[in-house]
Amino acid sequence: MLDILKLKKRYLKFAEEDGIEEQEIENVEHILGLTLPDDFKEISRFFCGGCLGIVENYRFTQGKWNNIIDETKRLREEVNLPLKFVVLAEPSESLIVMDVEDKPSIIWCDSIDVYNLGTKSYARSPDTWENYSDFFSELLSDEESDEI
């Protein structure tokens, strides 16, 4: 797992700290009925969603914007998304989720494979990252390359 302090330093070079408090993280866990990975929790203290690199990430807290709580609950209902997944973003014709129980933790799949997340029998191989910090680092790299 990558050093979270180094990720924070990289992030703060082009964005302001925009994190959430421990109580808000616990609220997300309570509402969704799961435990979020430690690296996700640490990163959420300075980044709580929004555009980063090529991905418009859902906000980590509820409010007027699309957020991981409401979108996860919606997909649980609409497509029977397994309870161990958190919806992070929905880029065009795809879905990015975080598996809070198994590795790889981050899965970016085609929209047709949303129904296959539970069985992992994908029509197309998804992009995956071992953990949230690896995914976040790649988004930072995308953002940094745009700055050049």
Side-chain angles (χ1 to χ4, degrees):
M1 192 177 322
L2 296 170
D3 183 338
I4 302 298
L5 291 177
K6 289 180 182 176
L7 292 175
K8 180 179 181 179
K9 185 176 179 179
R10 288 174 59 198
Y11 175 74
L12 293 177
K13 286 181 182 178
F14 53 84
E16 292 184 22
E17 192 165 330
D18 181 29
I20 59 176
E21 300 294 323
E22 180 68 30
Q23 183 177 357
E24 292 172 295
I25 295 168
E26 291 172 3
N27 187 50
V28 171
E29 292 178 319
H30 174 73
I31 291 172
L32 295 180
L34 46 75
T35 301
L36 296 166
D38 290 339
D39 63 333
F40 179 85
K41 291 179 189 181
E42 290 178 48
I43 290 169
S44 72
R45 289 187 174 86
F46 60 88
F47 171 77
C48 72
C51 191
L52 185 60
I54 61 170
V55 176
E56 181 66 41
N57 297 270
Y58 288 138
R59 301 293 293 174
F60 297 169
T61 58
Q62 286 180 301
K64 61 183 178 179
W65 307 107
N66 290 345
N67 62 77
I68 64 173
I69 296 169
D70 293 341
E71 294 305 315
T72 299
K73 288 169 52 178
R74 179 181 66 83
L75 287 179
R76 283 178 176 176
E77 194 171 294
E78 288 181 11
V79 300
N80 203 25
L81 183 72
L83 298 178
K84 68 178 188 167
F85 291 107
V86 175
V87 177
L88 299 177
E90 289 183 76
S92 180
E93 299 184 31
S94 64
L95 181 71
I96 303 172
V97 296
M98 177 170 51
D99 184 332
V100 300
E101 295 177 5
D102 298 314
K103 301 288 183 192
S105 181
I106 307 301
I107 303 165
W108 187 340
C109 65
D110 287 339
S111 58
I112 59 170
D113 277 322
V114 170
Y115 298 95
N116 300 325
L117 282 166
T119 62
K120 297 187 179 185
S121 57
Y122 306 109
R124 290 187 179 162
S125 294
D127 292 329
T128 61
W129 293 262
E130 193 66 15
N131 50 53
Y132 187 76
S133 54
D134 289 346
F135 174 69
F136 187 76
S137 179
E138 187 162 324
L139 294 180
L140 285 174
S141 294
D142 291 343
E143 189 74 30
E144 291 162 343
S145 68
D146 286 346
E147 295 287 315
I148 296 174

